[in-house]
Amino acid sequence: NAGVMQNPRHLVRRRGQEARLRCSPMKGHSHVYWYRQLPEEGLKFMVYLQKENIIDESGMPKERFSAEFPKEGPSILRIQQVVRGDSAAYFCASSPQWTGSNSEQFFGPGTRLTVL
Amino acid sequence: GQQLNQSPQSMFIQEGEDVSMNCTSSSIFNTWLWYKQEPGEGPVLLIALYKAGELTSNGRLTAQFGITRKDSFLNISASIPSDVGIYFCAGQMGGNNRKLIWGLGTSLAVNP
Protein backbone atom coordinates (compact mmCIF):
# COMPACT_ATOMS: atom_id res chain seq x y z
CA ASN A 1 0.00 0.00 0.00
CA ALA A 2 2.09 2.86 -1.33
CA GLY A 3 2.08 6.13 0.54
CA VAL A 4 2.21 9.60 -0.93
CA MET A 5 4.87 9.73 -3.62
CA GLN A 6 6.79 12.81 -4.67
CA ASN A 7 9.37 13.28 -7.35
CA PRO A 8 11.98 14.34 -7.83
CA ARG A 9 13.36 14.09 -4.27
CA HIS A 10 15.99 16.70 -5.09
CA LEU A 11 15.85 19.38 -7.77
CA VAL A 12 18.50 21.93 -8.67
CA ARG A 13 17.60 24.89 -10.84
CA ARG A 14 19.35 28.10 -11.89
CA ARG A 15 17.68 31.42 -11.37
CA GLY A 16 15.08 32.06 -14.05
CA GLN A 17 14.41 28.41 -14.83
CA GLU A 18 11.17 26.55 -14.17
CA ALA A 19 10.65 23.93 -11.48
CA ARG A 20 8.01 21.21 -11.70
CA LEU A 21 7.24 19.15 -8.64
CA ARG A 22 5.01 16.08 -8.83
CA CYS A 23 2.85 14.40 -6.24
CA SER A 24 0.88 11.16 -6.43
CA PRO A 25 -1.56 10.85 -3.52
CA MET A 26 -2.22 7.69 -1.58
CA LYS A 27 -4.50 5.21 -3.29
CA GLY A 28 -8.09 6.20 -2.74
CA HIS A 29 -7.26 9.78 -1.74
CA SER A 30 -8.77 12.55 -3.81
CA HIS A 31 -7.53 15.59 -1.86
CA VAL A 32 -4.03 17.00 -2.23
CA TYR A 33 -2.27 19.73 -0.26
CA TRP A 34 1.07 21.44 -0.90
CA TYR A 35 3.21 22.90 1.88
CA ARG A 36 6.58 24.65 1.90
CA GLN A 37 9.19 24.32 4.63
CA LEU A 38 12.18 26.60 5.05
CA PRO A 39 15.19 25.41 7.10
CA GLU A 40 14.57 25.42 10.85
CA GLU A 41 10.90 26.31 10.36
CA GLY A 42 7.51 24.65 10.38
CA LEU A 43 5.48 23.96 7.29
CA LYS A 44 3.47 26.70 5.59
CA PHE A 45 0.30 25.89 3.67
CA MET A 46 0.29 26.76 -0.01
CA VAL A 47 -2.67 25.21 -1.81
CA TYR A 48 -5.43 22.60 -1.48
CA LEU A 49 -6.77 20.80 -4.54
CA GLN A 50 -9.28 18.15 -5.46
CA LYS A 51 -9.39 16.51 -8.87
CA GLU A 52 -9.53 19.30 -11.48
CA ASN A 53 -10.36 21.94 -8.85
CA ILE A 54 -8.38 24.37 -6.72
CA ILE A 55 -10.23 24.62 -3.41
CA ASP A 56 -7.98 26.94 -1.40
CA GLU A 57 -4.94 28.76 -2.75
CA SER A 58 -4.68 31.31 0.04
CA GLY A 59 -1.05 30.37 0.74
CA MET A 60 0.21 30.57 -2.83
CA PRO A 61 2.38 33.50 -3.87
CA LYS A 62 0.47 35.65 -6.35
CA GLU A 63 3.08 35.37 -9.07
CA ARG A 64 5.17 32.57 -10.60
CA PHE A 65 3.49 29.74 -8.63
CA SER A 66 0.69 27.52 -9.91
CA ALA A 67 -0.74 24.12 -9.05
CA GLU A 68 -2.97 21.61 -10.74
CA PHE A 69 -4.46 18.20 -10.02
CA PRO A 70 -5.73 16.83 -13.32
CA LYS A 71 -8.32 14.10 -13.74
CA GLU A 72 -5.54 11.69 -14.69
CA GLY A 73 -2.02 11.77 -13.35
CA PRO A 74 -0.21 13.41 -10.44
CA SER A 75 -0.66 16.83 -8.94
CA ILE A 76 1.91 19.34 -10.20
CA LEU A 77 3.32 22.35 -8.38
CA ARG A 78 4.95 24.65 -10.91
CA ILE A 79 7.32 27.49 -10.11
CA GLN A 80 8.27 29.74 -12.99
CA GLN A 81 11.39 31.91 -13.15
CA VAL A 82 12.74 30.58 -9.87
CA VAL A 83 14.67 32.84 -7.50
CA ARG A 84 17.02 31.92 -4.66
CA GLY A 85 14.27 32.55 -2.12
CA ASP A 86 12.30 29.65 -3.61
CA SER A 87 14.89 27.21 -2.22
CA ALA A 88 13.01 25.08 0.29
CA ALA A 89 11.51 21.66 0.90
CA TYR A 90 8.10 21.26 -0.73
CA PHE A 91 5.80 18.67 0.77
CA CYS A 92 2.65 17.16 -0.62
CA ALA A 93 -0.02 15.60 1.58
CA SER A 94 -3.19 13.73 0.73
CA SER A 95 -6.40 12.86 2.52
CA PRO A 96 -9.41 10.74 1.65
CA GLN A 97 -12.80 11.98 0.49
CA TRP A 98 -14.20 14.38 3.06
CA THR A 99 -16.80 12.59 5.12
CA GLY A 100 -16.91 14.99 8.05
CA SER A 101 -15.42 18.20 9.31
CA ASN A 102 -11.97 16.80 10.03
CA SER A 103 -9.54 14.66 8.11
CA GLU A 104 -5.98 13.52 8.62
CA GLN A 105 -3.32 14.45 6.10
CA PHE A 106 -0.54 12.03 5.16
CA PHE A 107 2.70 13.42 3.81
CA GLY A 108 5.15 12.45 1.12
CA PRO A 109 8.95 12.56 1.50
CA GLY A 110 9.19 16.01 -0.06
CA THR A 111 11.12 17.63 -2.90
CA ARG A 112 14.13 19.67 -1.90
CA LEU A 113 14.52 22.53 -4.35
CA THR A 114 17.83 24.34 -4.56
CA VAL A 115 18.09 27.44 -6.71
CA LEU A 116 21.62 28.41 -7.69
CA GLY B 1 0.99 33.97 8.11
CA GLN B 2 -0.68 32.31 11.08
CA GLN B 3 1.49 30.10 13.23
CA LEU B 4 1.18 28.12 16.44
CA ASN B 5 3.33 28.77 19.51
CA GLN B 6 5.18 25.55 20.25
CA SER B 7 7.49 24.99 23.21
CA PRO B 8 10.09 24.11 24.12
CA GLN B 9 12.11 24.79 20.99
CA SER B 10 14.53 21.98 21.80
CA MET B 11 15.14 19.34 24.44
CA PHE B 12 18.12 17.20 25.31
CA ILE B 13 17.26 14.34 27.63
CA GLN B 14 18.56 11.05 28.95
CA GLU B 15 17.17 7.77 27.68
CA GLY B 16 14.30 6.65 29.89
CA GLU B 17 13.12 10.15 30.79
CA ASP B 18 9.64 11.46 30.05
CA VAL B 19 9.14 14.39 27.69
CA SER B 20 6.41 16.98 27.45
CA MET B 21 5.82 19.62 24.79
CA ASN B 22 2.88 21.88 24.06
CA CYS B 23 1.26 24.18 21.53
CA THR B 24 -0.95 27.20 21.97
CA SER B 25 -2.94 29.27 19.54
CA SER B 26 -4.87 32.52 19.53
CA SER B 27 -7.48 30.80 17.35
CA ILE B 28 -9.84 27.93 18.04
CA PHE B 29 -9.16 24.69 16.21
CA ASN B 30 -11.42 21.71 15.63
CA THR B 31 -8.52 19.31 15.11
CA TRP B 32 -5.06 19.06 16.60
CA LEU B 33 -2.46 16.82 15.01
CA TRP B 34 1.01 15.82 16.18
CA TYR B 35 3.67 14.85 13.65
CA LYS B 36 7.28 13.69 13.86
CA GLN B 37 9.82 14.59 11.20
CA GLU B 38 13.25 13.04 10.75
CA PRO B 39 16.03 14.57 8.62
CA GLY B 40 15.34 14.42 4.91
CA GLU B 41 11.85 13.00 5.35
CA GLY B 42 8.28 14.20 5.43
CA PRO B 43 6.22 14.55 8.63
CA VAL B 44 4.72 11.32 9.95
CA LEU B 45 1.39 11.51 11.74
CA LEU B 46 1.57 10.38 15.38
CA ILE B 47 -1.74 11.33 16.96
CA ALA B 48 -4.94 13.08 15.82
CA LEU B 49 -7.31 14.79 18.27
CA TYR B 50 -10.87 15.76 17.34
CA LYS B 51 -12.72 16.71 20.54
CA ALA B 52 -12.02 19.29 23.22
CA GLY B 53 -10.70 17.52 26.32
CA GLU B 54 -9.88 14.36 24.36
CA LEU B 55 -6.90 12.38 25.64
CA THR B 56 -5.43 9.90 23.16
CA SER B 57 -2.52 7.49 23.40
CA ASN B 58 -0.37 5.80 20.80
CA GLY B 59 2.08 3.48 22.53
CA ARG B 60 4.36 5.63 24.69
CA LEU B 61 2.84 8.81 23.27
CA THR B 62 -0.09 10.61 24.86
CA ALA B 63 -1.70 13.80 23.58
CA GLN B 64 -4.55 15.97 24.79
CA PHE B 65 -6.84 18.47 23.09
CA GLY B 66 -7.25 21.45 25.40
CA ILE B 67 -10.69 22.35 26.76
CA THR B 68 -10.50 25.85 25.26
CA ARG B 69 -9.60 24.31 21.87
CA LYS B 70 -6.65 26.68 21.74
CA ASP B 71 -3.95 24.34 23.01
CA SER B 72 -2.63 20.80 23.00
CA PHE B 73 0.21 18.88 24.59
CA LEU B 74 2.20 15.77 23.69
CA ASN B 75 3.92 13.52 26.22
CA ILE B 76 6.46 10.83 25.46
CA SER B 77 7.14 8.38 28.26
CA ALA B 78 10.32 6.39 28.82
CA SER B 79 12.16 7.93 25.86
CA ILE B 80 14.41 5.80 23.67
CA PRO B 81 17.11 6.82 21.16
CA SER B 82 14.78 6.37 18.17
CA ASP B 83 12.52 9.11 19.55
CA VAL B 84 15.06 11.61 18.21
CA GLY B 85 13.56 13.98 15.71
CA ILE B 86 11.51 17.14 15.38
CA TYR B 87 7.95 17.06 16.70
CA PHE B 88 5.37 19.41 15.19
CA CYS B 89 1.90 20.33 16.27
CA ALA B 90 -0.62 21.33 13.63
CA GLY B 91 -4.13 22.73 13.94
CA GLN B 92 -7.04 22.60 11.56
CA MET B 93 -10.12 24.79 11.82
CA GLY B 94 -12.29 22.26 10.03
CA GLY B 95 -15.41 22.70 8.00
CA ASN B 96 -14.40 24.02 4.60
CA ASN B 97 -11.04 25.18 5.97
CA ARG B 98 -8.77 22.14 5.74
CA LYS B 99 -5.34 23.71 5.70
CA LEU B 100 -3.03 22.85 8.58
CA ILE B 101 -1.44 25.62 10.64
CA TRP B 102 1.92 24.51 12.08
CA GLY B 103 4.12 25.17 15.06
CA LEU B 104 7.87 25.70 14.62
CA GLY B 105 8.67 22.30 16.11
CA THR B 106 10.38 20.83 19.16
CA SER B 107 13.74 19.25 18.43
CA LEU B 108 14.33 16.23 20.66
CA ALA B 109 17.74 14.69 21.33
CA VAL B 110 18.04 11.56 23.47
CA ASN B 111 21.30 10.59 25.12
CA PRO B 112 21.61 6.79 25.36
Side-chain angles (χ1 to χ4, degrees):
Chain A
N1 184 18
V4 177
M5 300 178 70
Q6 289 187 250
N7 67 82
R9 291 292 303 271
H10 300 273
L11 183 60
V12 179
R13 285 288 178 266
R14 297 191 180 279
R15 281 178 296 170
Q17 291 184 320
E18 178 179 287
R20 279 184 180 242
L21 288 62
R22 297 175 198 79
C23 169
S24 296
M26 287 179 69
K27 187 176 181 180
H29 286 192
S30 57
H31 300 238
V32 165
Y33 313 79
W34 286 93
Y35 293 83
R36 176 165 61 177
Q37 185 179 35
L38 295 172
E40 310 296 324
E41 292 190 11
L43 280 70
K44 294 282 171 58
F45 169 80
M46 299 181 75
V47 63
Y48 161 36
L49 310 104
Q50 294 178 25
K51 286 285 187 181
E52 300 184 281
N53 284 307
I54 295 175
I55 308 301
D56 180 356
E57 56 181 346
S58 59
M60 286 280 270
K62 294 287 185 275
E63 298 176 348
R64 301 188 298 108
F65 285 72
S66 62
E68 62 177 9
F69 188 16
K71 186 177 180 180
E72 301 291 338
S75 175
I76 306 287
L77 179 67
R78 182 183 179 203
I79 311 172
Q80 295 178 290
Q81 299 175 332
V82 295
V83 301
R84 288 215 173 106
D86 296 333
S87 296
Y90 292 83
F91 291 98
C92 170
S94 73
S95 65
Q97 180 67 29
W98 182 19
T99 57
S101 62
N102 306 304
S103 186
E104 300 161 5
Q105 295 179 19
F106 297 90
F107 283 78
T111 293
R112 273 122 190 108
L113 173 65
T114 301
V115 180
L116 302 177
Chain B
Q2 191 179 5
Q3 191 171 281
L4 303 179
N5 299 311
Q6 185 172 349
S7 65
Q9 187 176 1
S10 61
M11 302 182 73
F12 188 86
I13 61 171
Q14 294 294 125
E15 183 176 359
E17 290 184 358
D18 297 344
V19 170
S20 184
M21 59 194 78
N22 69 84
C23 267
T24 61
S25 168
S26 57
S27 303
I28 290 175
F29 289 112
N30 285 325
T31 301
W32 282 91
L33 303 168
W34 285 92
Y35 288 86
K36 179 186 178 186
Q37 186 178 29
E38 297 186 23
E41 299 298 327
V44 174
L45 181 63
L46 299 174
I47 292 181
L49 301 159
Y50 296 111
K51 294 181 182 178
E54 178 182 357
L55 184 71
T56 297
S57 293
N58 177 10
R60 293 178 296 106
L61 278 60
T62 301
Q64 184 157 31
F65 193 144
I67 291 291
T68 65
R69 294 198 285 158
K70 291 184 177 182
D71 64 304
S72 177
F73 72 74
L74 174 71
N75 287 341
I76 305 173
S77 62
S79 59
I80 58 178
S82 61
D83 290 334
V84 165
I86 302 177
Y87 292 79
F88 289 98
C89 60
Q92 184 186 64
M93 291 187 174
N96 291 322
N97 190 344
R98 303 190 79 184
K99 63 185 175 188
L100 295 180
I101 308 300
W102 294 77
L104 288 178
T106 296
S107 178
L108 178 64
V110 179
N111 190 27

